[in-house]
Amino acid sequence: MTTHRIVPDGSERPLDQAYDTALLDLDGVVYAGGDAIAHAVDSLGAARGHGMHLAYVTNNAARTPQAVAEHLTRLGVPAEASEVITSAQAVARLIADQVPSGARVLTIGGEGLAEALRERGLRPVDSADDDPAAVVQGYSPKVGWEQLAEAAYAVNRGVPWFASNTDLTIPTARGTAPGNGALVEVVRIATGATPQIAGKPLPPMHRETVIRTGAERPLVVGDRLDTDIEGAHAGGVDSLLVLTGVTTPAQLLAAPPRHRPTYVDADLRGLLAPQPEVAAAGGEGAYRCGGWTALAGDGELLLDGQGGPMDGLRALCAAAWTTAGGGSCTLDAEKALARLGLS
């Protein structure tokens, strides 16, 4: 991936043939809450049938890999625990590199975090008075004031502090809810400290994924610019953004270089198809994709033509990112996106 991506890439081959492994985010990509996202089950089944290896890489540290695999299997996406990589595993390895084997770790989170610590030879405890060698926070819907207070007591005593991830929000079947990052902020406010963070987009998560999957030509598939896409950028691998989670088309157009995906599509059906070329359209700063042409006008992005909405969005990305260069595009895209039905 280039440092300053200015157009989404095209691919003459379907993505499930161009890459050996899809590193799939879960929340907002495969499911939302307990339900599969539209087209996810069929698309992943087809990609696997075409020989693509599927690995599920999530910043959600609440559940064990086995529980995640069982959930995926119930949804119609057969999965093994070994195919699931969580930020709990990444942060457990990070802690294990810094504390003695068998050390106690004050664990603020779910069973997924506790299991990952035990896998690395560490002992989860639940009180700051248990003489922990480290404090770790990971998302769980059951975390409350008492657990956050225990974390604050330990951190204020100088115990090293770790976080599985700092996603401020998490998508659920009912909408967007506070994520682990919001809970980390509570402890940060109470202590003035800063944790070591393992999850996407940071290197410990990329290292964990590489160790556990052995992927040679991976494609990161996600719905978040600041975790999935930035993590792919940091790891030097290609990415596919799907618009089934938290990222809106307007946010995509305003993305700075580290948040610009290699490819963009509406959902996971994008794995099964070639990606259309985005090309200069002749005029300065004009780009064409399919039947659409986009360019930067006076204070806004302009769009002309007809065709599928994703082709129009790809053309708009090229016009916006070219204008922004190494920054974020500030041009108004409301009318252009409304024409595509994406506002």
Side-chain angles (χ1 to χ4, degrees), residues 51-72:
M52 188 179 219
H53 178 61
L54 306 180
Y56 304 95
V57 185
T58 177
N59 262 358
N60 190 329
R63 295 186 294 172
T64 66
Q66 183 62 43
V68 173
E70 290 173 357
H71 180 196
L72 288 167

Side-chain angles (χ1 to χ4, degrees), residues 68-139:
V68 173
E70 290 173 357
H71 180 196
L72 288 167
T73 300
R74 287 195 301 272
L75 292 177
V77 182
E80 302 291 335
S82 60
E83 296 173 313
V84 178
I85 300 94
T86 74
S87 63
Q89 294 169 324
V91 78
R93 190 182 298 273
L94 185 63
I95 296 168
D97 288 344
Q98 300 180 43
V99 304
S101 178
R104 297 183 181 91
V105 178
L106 176 56
T107 305
I108 311 302
E111 179 55 27
L113 186 57
E115 180 181 280
L117 292 167
R118 289 191 290 264
E119 181 186 20
R120 299 258 69 86
L122 302 171
R123 296 171 56 191
V125 297
D126 56 15
S127 171
D129 295 333
D130 288 328
D131 193 27
V135 179
V136 63
Q137 278 186 260
Y139 172 77

Side-chain angles (χ1 to χ4, degrees), residues 61 77 100 105 127 161 176 181 183 207 216 245 259 269 295-296:
V77 182
V105 178
S127 171
W161 179 28
T176 300
L183 301 178
R207 178 180 65 155
E216 296 181 359
H259 290 170
R269 289 176 294 180
L295 72 159

Side-chain angles (χ1 to χ4, degrees), residues 132-146:
V135 179
V136 63
Q137 278 186 260
Y139 172 77
S140 169
K142 296 182 179 180
V143 169
W145 183 91
E146 290 183 357

